[in-house]
């Protein structure tokens, strides 16, 4: 049997002067650091004195313990070294902990002067090297040490006692027992009076107010947490269908936030002001018939919905009747509110805010998704560290369980995909099919663009193009049918190509659909700003373009609903009822994401001609979320080939920024700088271009001689001077480039750290093997000397006699 090792509890007697020189251990971080140091020292002592690992008897020194298959068998010396590792000695004795805090409280009680906590630097650290710790597991000695600790705690102040007990690495039950036992009789009577209900009215009122405020704060915090839109729905979708389907709904939520951010300045500085100062009606207002919800015309034309309703007057409090002359002279000392200038700058500011937010979101998403370039080693973390133990509800635990299972499937599918090489013939066949597929897709895109261009010319030549009936929906219907049919064609081509990676399949479908939609939108932009302006000179062409974009949004939403009904619900019913299969259709991520980007591009194109179009897009996205969620839960199944969508949000934001937002910005800049506004409606009816509104307003301020002389200077250097625009563009590109470089640097550093950790692990294995071989060689030489010649003990020959790990200095002292 192993001999027991006894460590005596030694409390050295010190004077008050010596104790006052020792730094204060009150800070929590220092207490934990000193406890960690204590454990390390105790572990080293246990290892040096051979606790639980004694040398074997003579003639059996090379005996090793039985090990499982594949695990190397180490000698007793190697096992002694392994036992001295901190990971195998931490937390062995609770008595050591109590002994440590007993010694600490003794020194605290014997101090003559205790320094304040605020006067102690954080680098102060208690010295524990003078204390001897007792490692004893007997109940009597532990109780004795506990009683001694209680006596010493009673000599401390209340604040010091609470702090020491709070930082003890013991269980809550033992801490509560120590706190109750260390109470003085006065404190016990006070606690009994508090439990008996003898509390004054002021104290009761104070406690009630504190509890009420605390409860109110918890309610507000939980309300803010629950006010996040679709929080539980997103968790449910991610748990059942994986991160790939979840990325679509997260992208929809991001688009909703962009539209809300864009709508706020339009409502505050444009729509609200014009609604407060409505212009005189130019004619009789038609009644509401319900058809306006589809066409966008009728009575909607005479509202703040469209460009033509806004006046070109200058609003000011000094104006007696601003509608008679069309312009108002501002009051001295006050700035007029020019509606043309407000219209131009509000739309420009909304676009600038959207651009900044979009660039920031894209850079942030890029950093989050590309910071760690490898999923190696994450499987163990997902298995052992992914469960949230704060979840108590059954529904939430079920959602978390589904989410963990789906993530494991995605990780395993990605890992299996890397280990599935294809032959040369299969790769050649895939390249051929991929080339044919791209040729067919480009031909389809060109055919759709030519068809839209031809049909738009026919619609301009028809006299009904200026009517208000259902014939106005012809062009949006044709474009939506072409988009839907081409998307199904691209999906069939992807099935024939048989991509190895589902991520590559989705990216390929997104690229093809994006090329198609951008080509169609380019043709439509030429139709609106080229031929449509020349065809409707007598009418307000801005209103017509705004109504056309509204109709495109409405028709696209109707086709999305029909696709969910017939493409998902009908297919599920046919599969279950007729084909007797339980196979449901999968959620088409590429087509649905491109529909979102297409609708957002239409919104950005029409915000100049219809300031309330972002509100229509917000309503459309909100309805679309609930429709898609219901259709997904009822009609779709999880992807047959799970895949990890780690970079999907970044790709979506990138496509939203560069082809979509950049194209819309170019379209609006061309309309502001080059196209002549209508002479019968709108805030720019008397100007050659919309951009001249700023120049006219600056000249008017200069002639009026108002106190805001800095505004013309600001307009000249920030608006008219193109250098500022180039500087802002360069700064945005520099921010994007620097963010990309920072993320690349972080990825490189993370890879180097992972490699360093792996090398350190290999170093540990190498050192353990070296130690094992050295001691095995020593054992063999010891056995040879025992059988052949006598052994002369020496410090340099550890194979002679018992193992001696002491230094020559220690041996000389002994």
């Amino acid at each position: 049997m192993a001999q027991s090792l006894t460590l005596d509890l030694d409390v050295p007697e010190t004077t008050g002067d010596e104790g006052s020189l020792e730094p204060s251990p009150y800070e929590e971080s220092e207490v934990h650091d000193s406890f960690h140091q204590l454990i390390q020292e105790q572990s080293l002592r246990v290892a040096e004195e051979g606790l639980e690992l004694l040398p074997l008897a003579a003639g059996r020194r090379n005996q090793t313990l039985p090990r499982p298959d594949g695990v190397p068998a180490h000698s007793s010396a190697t096992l002694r070294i392994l036992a001295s590792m901190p990971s195998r000695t931490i937390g062995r004795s609770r008595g050591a902990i109590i002994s440590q805090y007993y010694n600490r409280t003794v020194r605290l009680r014997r101090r003559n002067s205790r320094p304040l906590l605020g006067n102690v630097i954080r680098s102060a650290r208690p010295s524990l090297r003078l204390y001897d710790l007792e490692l004893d597991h007997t109940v009597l000695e532990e109780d004795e040490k506990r009683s001694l600790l209680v006596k010493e705690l009673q000599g401390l102040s209340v604040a010091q006692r609470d702090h020491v007990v709070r930082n003890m690495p013991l269980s809550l039950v033992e801490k509560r027992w120590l706190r109750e036992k260390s109470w003085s009789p006065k404190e016990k009577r006070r606690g009994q009076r508090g439990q008996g209900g003898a509390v004054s009215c002021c104290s009761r009122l104070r406690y009630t107010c504190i509890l009420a405020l605390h409860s109110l704060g918890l309610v507000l915090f939980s309300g803010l947490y629950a006010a996040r839109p679709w929080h539980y729905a997103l968790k449910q979708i991610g748990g059942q269908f994986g991160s790939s389907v979840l990325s679509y709904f997260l992208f929809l939520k991001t688009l909703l936030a962009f539209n809300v951010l864009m709508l706020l300045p339009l409502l505050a500085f444009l729509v609200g002001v014009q609604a407060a100062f409505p212009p005189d009606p130019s004619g009789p207002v038609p009644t509401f018939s319900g058809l306006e919800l589809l066409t966008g015309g009728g009575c909607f034309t005479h509202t703040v919905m469209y460009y033509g309703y806004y006046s070109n007057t200058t609003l000011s409090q000094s104006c007696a009747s601003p509608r008679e002359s069309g312009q108002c002279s501002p009051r001295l000392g006050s700035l007029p509110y020019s509606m043309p200038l407000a219209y131009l700058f509000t739309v420009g500011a909304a676009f600038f805010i959207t651009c900044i937010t979009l660039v920031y979101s894209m850079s942030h998403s890029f950093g989050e998704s590309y910071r760690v370039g490898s999923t190696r080693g994450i499987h163990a973390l997902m298995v052992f560290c992914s469960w949230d133990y704060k979840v108590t509800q059954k529904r939430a635990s079920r959602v978390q369980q589904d989410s963990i299972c789906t993530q494991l499937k995605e990780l395993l599918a990605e890992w299996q995909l890397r280990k599935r090489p294809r032959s040369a013939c299969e790769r050649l066949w895939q390249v051929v099919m991929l080339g044919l597929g791209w040729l067919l897709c480009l031909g389809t895109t060109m055919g759709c663009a030519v068809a839209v261009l031809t049909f738009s010319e026919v619609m301009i030549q028809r006299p009904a193009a200026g009517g208000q009936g259902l014939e106005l929906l012809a062009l949006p219907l044709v474009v939506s049918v072409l988009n839907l049919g081409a998307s199904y064609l691209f999906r069939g081509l992807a099935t024939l190509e048989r991509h190895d990676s589902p991520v590559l399949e989705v990216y390929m479908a997104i690229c093809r659909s994006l090329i198609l939609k951008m080509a169609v939108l380019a043709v439509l932009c030429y139709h609106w700003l080229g031929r449509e302006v020349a065809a409707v000179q007598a009418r307000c062409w801005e209103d017509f373009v705004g109504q056309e974009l509204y109709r495109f949004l409405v028709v696209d939403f109707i086709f999305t609903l029909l696709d969910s009904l017939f493409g998902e619900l009908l297919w599920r019913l046919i599969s279950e009822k007729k084909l007797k299969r339980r196979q449901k259709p999968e959620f088409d991520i590429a087509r649905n994401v491109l529909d979102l980007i297409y609708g957002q591009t239409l919104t950005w194109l029409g915000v100049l001609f219809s300031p309330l179009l972002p509100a229509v897009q917000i309503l459309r996205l909100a309805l679309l979320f609930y429709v898609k969620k219901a259709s997904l839960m009822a009609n779709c199944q999880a992807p047959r080939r799970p895949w990890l969508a780690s970079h999907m949000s970044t790709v979506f934001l990138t496509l939203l920024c560069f082809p979509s937002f950049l194209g819309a910005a170019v379209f609006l800049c061309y309309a502001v700088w080059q196209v002549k506004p209508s002479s019968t409606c709108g805030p720019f009816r008397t100007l050659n271009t919309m951009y001249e509104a700023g120049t006219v307003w600056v000249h008017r301020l200069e002639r009026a001689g108002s106190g805001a002389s800095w505004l013309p200077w600001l307009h000249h250097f920030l608006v008219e001077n193109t250098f500022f625009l180039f500087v802002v563009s360069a700064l945005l590109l520099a921010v994007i480039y620097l963010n990309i470089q920072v993320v690349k640097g972080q990825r490189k550093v993370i890879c180097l750290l992972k490699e360093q950790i792996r090398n350190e692990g290999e170093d540990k294995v190498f050192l353990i093997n070296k130690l094992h071989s050295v001691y095995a060689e020593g054992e063999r030489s010891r056995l040879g000397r025992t059988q052949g010649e006598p052994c002369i003990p020496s410090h340099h020959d550890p194979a002679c006699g018992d193992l001696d790990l002491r230094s020559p200095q220690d041996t000389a002292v002994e």
Side-chain angles (χ1 to χ4, degrees):
M1 295 179 61
Q3 299 177 0
S4 61
L5 180 65
T6 304
L7 300 175
D8 296 331
L9 179 64
D10 184 15
V11 183
E13 297 291 335
T14 58
T15 61
D17 296 336
E18 294 176 356
S20 60
L21 297 176
E22 191 171 332
S24 173
Y26 294 149
E27 296 189 15
E28 183 177 357
S29 60
E30 297 175 5
V31 172
H32 286 287
D33 292 340
S34 61
F35 173 68
H36 181 67
Q37 182 181 0
L38 169 76
I39 292 298
Q40 287 183 344
E41 294 176 0
Q42 181 64 20
S43 303
L44 292 176
R45 291 193 58 185
V46 170
E48 290 176 0
E49 299 188 16
L51 180 64
E52 298 179 353
L53 288 173
L54 297 178
L56 297 175
R60 298 177 59 192
R61 295 188 179 274
N62 57 348
Q63 182 178 356
T64 57
L65 298 177
R67 294 288 179 179
D69 296 338
V71 179
H74 302 297
S75 63
S76 60
T78 307
L79 291 176
R80 185 181 298 113
I81 295 177
L82 293 177
S84 65
M85 296 174 63
S87 60
R88 302 195 181 189
T89 56
I90 289 179
R92 277 185 178 177
S93 175
R94 186 174 53 186
I97 299 172
I98 297 177
S99 299
Q100 175 219 0
Y101 280 96
Y102 168 72
N103 294 330
R104 180 173 298 175
T105 51
V106 167
R107 299 186 66 86
L108 287 175
R109 185 176 59 84
R110 293 179 178 178
R111 289 180 183 176
N112 293 330
S113 60
R114 298 183 178 91
L116 296 177
L117 181 61
N119 298 331
V120 180
I121 59 175
R122 291 190 60 86
S123 60
R125 196 176 300 274
S127 178
L128 300 173
R129 299 182 181 274
L130 299 179
Y131 303 151
D132 289 331
L133 303 178
E134 182 175 358
L135 189 63
D136 196 348
H137 298 281
T138 61
V139 179
L140 295 177
E141 294 184 2
E142 188 173 327
D143 291 341
E144 182 181 357
K145 288 183 287 186
R146 187 181 288 108
S147 61
L148 291 175
L149 179 60
V150 168
K151 291 180 181 180
E152 298 302 329
L153 287 174
Q154 290 176 353
L156 300 177
S157 63
V158 178
Q160 292 176 348
R161 184 197 312 156
D162 291 342
H163 189 83
V164 171
V165 174
R166 188 184 304 114
N167 293 323
M168 285 184 179
L170 299 174
S171 63
L172 292 177
V173 177
E174 294 178 350
K175 288 182 180 180
R176 189 179 297 110
W177 186 87
L178 288 174
R179 187 179 288 109
E180 292 176 355
K181 291 297 181 180
S182 60
W183 281 354
S184 62
K186 184 178 179 180
E187 292 175 349
K188 291 182 179 179
R189 289 194 299 268
R190 187 183 306 168
Q192 292 175 0
R193 286 199 304 268
Q195 294 177 359
V199 182
S200 61
C201 296
C202 296
S203 299
R204 188 176 301 173
L205 179 62
R206 182 167 62 89
Y207 293 148
T208 304
C209 294
I210 292 174
L211 290 177
L213 291 176
H214 182 69
S215 301
L216 180 62
L218 291 178
V219 169
L220 292 177
F221 182 76
S222 60
L224 290 176
Y225 186 80
R228 294 184 298 174
W230 311 315
H231 177 65
Y232 177 75
L234 293 175
K235 280 191 173 183
Q236 187 179 9
I237 292 170
Q240 295 186 13
F241 297 92
S243 59
S244 57
V245 180
L246 179 63
S247 62
Y248 166 79
F249 290 91
L250 291 176
F251 184 61
L252 191 150
K253 184 180 177 181
T254 304
L255 291 182
L256 186 65
F258 285 156
N259 284 278
V260 170
L261 189 63
M262 191 174 197
L263 183 62
L264 291 178
L266 294 174
L267 289 177
F269 300 103
L270 190 60
V271 178
V273 175
Q274 189 61 68
F277 298 92
D280 291 332
S282 58
V285 179
T287 59
F288 180 76
S289 61
L291 193 61
E292 291 86 353
L293 296 176
L294 293 177
T295 62
C299 63
F300 286 173
T301 309
H302 301 274
T303 60
V304 292
M305 181 76 181
Y306 295 112
Y307 164 90
Y309 181 80
Y310 293 86
S311 62
N312 63 337
T313 58
T314 301
L315 306 178
S316 179
Q317 295 294 335
S318 62
C319 293
S321 178
R323 299 168 189 160
E324 295 178 358
S325 59
Q327 300 291 338
C328 298
S329 60
R331 183 175 54 184
L332 292 177
S334 64
L335 289 176
Y337 196 88
S338 175
M339 281 304 299
L341 193 68
Y343 197 100
L344 183 63
F345 276 85
T346 302
V347 174
F351 256 80
F352 184 74
I353 293 173
T354 305
C355 178
I356 296 297
T357 309
L358 186 58
V359 170
Y360 173 77
S361 301
M362 185 177 62
S363 60
H364 180 72
S365 177
F366 183 87
E368 290 295 329
S369 59
Y370 287 91
R371 182 167 286 113
V372 181
S374 174
T375 58
R376 189 177 303 168
I378 201 175
H379 304 83
L381 296 177
M382 185 62 63
V383 172
F384 296 105
C385 306
S386 58
W387 184 261
D388 187 5
Y389 289 93
K390 295 183 293 183
V391 176
T392 57
Q393 298 180 357
K394 184 177 180 180
R395 186 178 66 171
S397 62
R398 180 64 180 175
V399 171
Q400 187 175 4
Q401 179 183 356
D402 294 340
S403 177
I404 294 174
C405 292
T406 306
Q407 292 177 16
L408 286 175
K409 290 179 182 178
E410 293 173 351
L411 291 173
L412 292 176
E414 185 178 3
W415 178 70
Q416 291 176 357
L417 186 62
R418 296 174 180 174
K419 296 188 175 182
R420 192 186 303 167
R422 304 187 68 173
S423 62
C425 295
E426 292 179 350
R427 289 198 296 268
L428 180 61
W429 174 256
Q430 187 178 9
V431 169
V432 172
M433 292 298 298
L434 193 62
L436 294 177
W438 271 107
L439 288 177
L440 184 58
C441 291
L442 293 177
T444 304
T445 301
M446 186 177 299
C448 292
V450 172
V452 171
L453 181 64
T454 305
F455 192 80
S456 61
E457 291 179 355
V458 173
M459 292 300 297
I460 289 178
Q461 295 175 0
R462 289 176 62 89
Q468 299 294 332
L470 291 176
E471 295 183 1
L472 294 173
L473 299 174
L475 183 60
L477 286 173
V478 170
V479 173
S480 298
V481 169
L482 291 176
N483 286 332
L484 186 62
S487 63
Y488 276 105
L489 176 62
F490 297 160
R491 187 175 181 179
L493 290 176
T495 305
L496 294 177
E497 290 170 351
R498 295 181 180 179
H499 295 281
D500 293 335
S501 172
V503 182
L504 180 61
E505 181 179 347
V506 171
Y507 286 163
M508 198 73 67
I510 287 176
C511 291
R512 292 168 177 175
S513 300
L514 183 67
I515 293 174
L516 171 68
K517 293 183 183 295
M518 291 300 109
V520 172
L521 284 176
V523 173
L524 290 175
C525 291
Y526 168 72
H527 164 69
W528 289 325
L529 293 186
R531 296 176 302 181
E532 194 66 41
V533 174
V536 290
Q537 284 291 343
R539 296 183 293 110
C540 187
W541 65 267
E542 292 90 350
D543 282 356
F544 180 80
V545 174
Q547 294 170 10
E548 192 83 356
L549 288 164
Y550 174 84
R551 288 191 287 268
F552 270 88
L553 276 178
V554 172
V555 173
D556 183 71
F557 178 68
I558 293 174
F559 268 77
T560 303
L561 296 180
L562 293 177
D563 178 65
S564 300
L565 178 63
F566 294 101
E568 297 174 356
L569 176 61
L570 190 61
W571 173 250
R572 180 182 68 86
L573 294 176
I574 293 175
S575 178
E576 291 181 353
K577 303 298 181 181
K578 299 297 183 181
L579 302 179
K580 302 299 181 181
R581 294 185 303 180
R582 293 186 177 182
Q583 184 177 0
K584 297 180 180 180
E586 295 184 12
F587 189 79
D588 195 349
I589 301 173
R591 179 171 52 84
N592 286 280
V593 167
L594 263 297
D595 288 341
L596 291 180
I597 296 178
Y598 174 73
Q600 188 60 42
T601 308
L602 293 176
T603 304
W604 284 334
L605 291 174
V607 70
L608 181 64
F609 311 107
S610 179
L612 287 181
L613 205 59
V616 178
Q617 175 70 354
I618 290 173
L619 181 62
R620 176 177 176 269
L621 291 175
L623 294 176
L624 195 61
F625 181 89
Y626 291 106
V627 170
K628 286 295 182 181
K629 176 181 176 295
S631 177
L632 178 70
M633 295 296 180
N635 305 322
C636 297
Q637 67 175 5
R640 298 182 185 89
R641 295 188 298 170
W643 51 282
L644 186 62
S646 57
H647 310 323
M648 199 58 81
S649 298
T650 306
V651 173
F652 294 162
L653 289 174
T654 304
L655 296 178
L656 184 68
C657 180
F658 288 109
S660 178
F661 182 80
L662 186 61
V666 171
F667 173 81
L668 294 182
C669 289
Y670 179 79
V672 169
W673 264 275
Q674 298 295 331
V675 183
K676 179 178 174 58
S678 299
S679 57
T680 57
C681 66
F684 310 104
R685 64 189 70 176
T686 59
L687 303 175
N688 293 325
T689 59
M690 298 181 185
Y691 174 73
E692 289 185 2
T695 306
V696 171
W697 182 72
V698 169
H699 292 336
R700 189 176 300 159
L701 284 180
E702 291 176 350
R703 290 194 303 267
S706 60
S709 58
W710 53 273
L711 285 177
W713 177 87
L714 192 66
H715 180 270
H716 174 71
F717 284 98
L718 296 184
V719 179
E720 293 183 355
N721 194 356
T722 58
F723 178 75
F724 177 74
L725 181 62
F726 284 116
V727 169
V728 172
S729 303
L731 286 177
L732 290 177
L733 293 177
V735 167
I736 297 175
Y737 176 76
L738 289 177
N739 200 311
I740 292 174
Q741 295 302 318
V742 167
V743 171
K744 287 183 177 179
Q746 290 175 350
R747 292 179 62 190
K748 188 174 182 179
V749 169
I750 289 174
C751 293
L752 291 176
L753 291 176
K754 287 183 177 180
E755 185 178 359
Q756 182 179 356
I757 292 174
R758 186 168 56 252
N759 292 335
E760 288 181 357
E762 295 176 357
D763 291 342
K764 291 178 181 179
V765 174
F766 173 77
L767 290 176
I768 291 175
N769 293 333
K770 277 292 184 181
L771 287 173
H772 178 66
S773 61
V774 168
Y775 285 111
E777 184 179 357
E779 293 292 337
R780 288 194 299 269
S781 62
R782 183 186 297 113
L783 291 176
R785 290 177 180 178
T786 302
Q787 296 175 0
E789 58 183 2
C791 177
I792 302 175
S794 174
H795 172 76
H796 299 284
D797 189 5
C800 184
D802 293 337
L803 180 64
D804 191 0
L805 296 178
R806 296 171 297 176
S807 62
Q809 291 80 2
D810 297 337
T811 307
V813 170
E814 293 181 0

